Amino acid sequence: MSTVLDPPEDLLASLRRSEFRPSRSKGQHFLNDTSIARRIIESAGVTKDTAVLEIGPGAGALTRHLVTLAGGVTAVEIDSRLAGVLQEAYGRYDRLTIVNGDVLDLDLSDLMGNYGKTGFVLVANLPYGITGPVLDRLIAHRGKISCAVIMVQHEVGGRLTAHPGTKAYGAITAIMAYHYRVESLFRVGGDRFVPRPAVDSVVLRLTPHERPPVTVRDAGLLNVVIKSAFQHRRKMLHHAMNRLVPGSAGYLSDHTGIDLKRRGETLDLNEFALLADALRAFRDQHQDDC
């Protein structure tokens, strides 16, 4: 049975008094604002019934609250020095499991094998350098994740919540929108971290769709179409589609009603789905010619 203990002390002050130096290569910027930490946890809806995966606990800004609020916490920390410090400080909490390793080398479903029927919640102050790969894993494990609340670079947050026709809108915007509802919750200034990063951050909440917002025959092909449309951002779509499947542009235009003189950045998710389905039909009709 878990023992309820008072929240542990903040580790950041003791780290600053020690010889510990944050690693630039690991993107270590430690959150130094308790109110922000609590807002993140509250935004994730963490309760005693919640299994939490925390990526990059660092100095424990989130961990120290999660261990008293969540049903269980698995914290993955790549820095062996910090993993040891966290284990020493918070090891008495039987709800906490600290994993010293690179989250990109781990299978999240295996790691969170006891997540229960409702899935696990992911929370993270993500190092900027691994944001893209972590988003890929959110897609791969979306069936097991009930909610993800992540802090990312402000510019990245703008891309993930952008609208068609804007400069920030890109392939990752449309791909993530197919799998998750992405909400921008609040901005976090660089002065809330030690050491201070050069840019501000933003906290996002990603909630997996119960059903995709658009119907498409082949979700994998949808991803391919979206990425192809943005590969050469300033070129018209008929170039991208003919590169993807030679001779397909005319068919796609006729069967979707989409003007392929447009650029990919102007299409919404529904239009990308129309293109993917039409391309699948074109391939099926011409497979004997391949």
Side-chain angles (χ1 to χ4, degrees):
M1 180 179 294
S2 298
T3 301
V4 178
L5 301 173
D6 293 331
E9 293 299 317
D10 188 357
L11 288 177
L12 187 55
S14 61
L15 284 176
R16 295 173 73 178
R17 289 192 299 267
S18 71
E19 296 181 357
F20 181 88
R21 295 292 179 268
S23 168
R24 288 180 178 269
S25 65
K26 294 184 175 71
Q28 290 176 341
H29 298 279
F30 303 130
L31 182 63
N32 189 27
D33 190 315
T34 298
S35 64
I36 296 295
R38 289 190 174 278
R39 286 181 70 183
I40 290 171
I41 295 169
E42 181 180 343
S43 298
V46 173
T47 71
K48 295 296 186 184
D49 297 321
T50 307
V52 175
L53 171 62
E54 183 184 5
I55 298 175
L62 297 173
T63 318
R64 63 186 292 255
H65 302 293
L66 287 170
V67 292
T68 63
L69 296 172
V73 182
T74 300
V76 180
E77 175 54 56
I78 192 172
D79 191 317
S80 59
R81 301 171 300 169
L82 287 174
V85 170
L86 290 165
Q87 184 64 52
E88 182 178 353
Y90 303 158
R92 67 187 187 276
Y93 292 86
D94 56 5
R95 296 172 179 171
L96 175 64
T97 300
I98 298 171
V99 178
N100 179 206
D102 187 341
V103 71
L104 303 184
D105 294 333
L106 302 173
D107 185 298
L108 302 191
S109 294
D110 288 345
L111 190 64
M112 301 298 292
N114 296 320
Y115 54 82
K117 295 182 179 179
T118 59
F120 63 88
V121 167
L122 186 149
V123 297
N125 172 19
L126 287 178
Y128 295 156
I130 67 168
T131 301
V134 168
L135 292 177
D136 289 340
R137 281 153 180 78
L138 285 177
I139 292 173
H141 298 278
R142 62 192 177 278
K144 310 292 178 62
I145 297 172
S146 60
C147 173
V149 176
I150 58 176
M151 186 164 5
V152 299
Q153 186 176 348
H154 189 263
E155 181 182 354
V156 174
R159 292 175 189 164
L160 290 172
T161 56
H163 297 287
T166 62
K167 184 178 180 180
Y169 185 70
I172 190 61
T173 321
I175 290 172
M176 288 302 295
Y178 178 76
H179 298 286
Y180 284 89
R181 179 165 62 94
V182 182
E183 304 169 83
S184 179
L185 300 181
F186 54 92
R187 188 166 181 160
V188 182
D191 59 338
R192 301 296 189 229
F193 298 88
V194 177
R196 179 172 183 161
V199 297
D200 286 353
S201 299
V202 65
V203 175
L204 306 176
R205 179 166 54 213
L206 289 73
T207 307
H209 297 298
E210 291 186 10
R211 295 181 179 179
V214 297
T215 301
V216 64
R217 292 175 62 193
D218 186 336
L221 183 57
L222 174 63
N223 281 2
V224 171
V225 167
I226 291 171
K227 290 178 180 179
S228 179
F230 285 96
Q231 187 173 7
H232 300 282
R233 190 179 182 97
R234 303 310 299 169
K235 289 191 175 182
M236 291 180 284
L237 278 167
H238 68 82
H239 294 297
M241 295 302 101
N242 276 331
R243 275 198 314 273
L244 191 57
V245 179
S248 65
Y251 179 94
L252 298 181
S253 180
D254 291 343
H255 286 76
T256 64
I258 296 172
D259 181 1
L260 295 191
K261 293 182 180 179
R262 293 167 60 187
R263 296 186 175 94
E265 65 194 44
T266 69
L267 268 63
D268 61 23
L269 185 58
N270 185 65
E271 290 173 308
F272 279 122
L274 290 174
L275 282 180
D277 279 350
L279 188 61
R280 171 69 180 269
F282 180 84
R283 280 179 166 178
D284 290 346
Q285 291 180 21
H286 294 80
Q287 59 184 349
D288 293 337
D289 301 329
C290 297

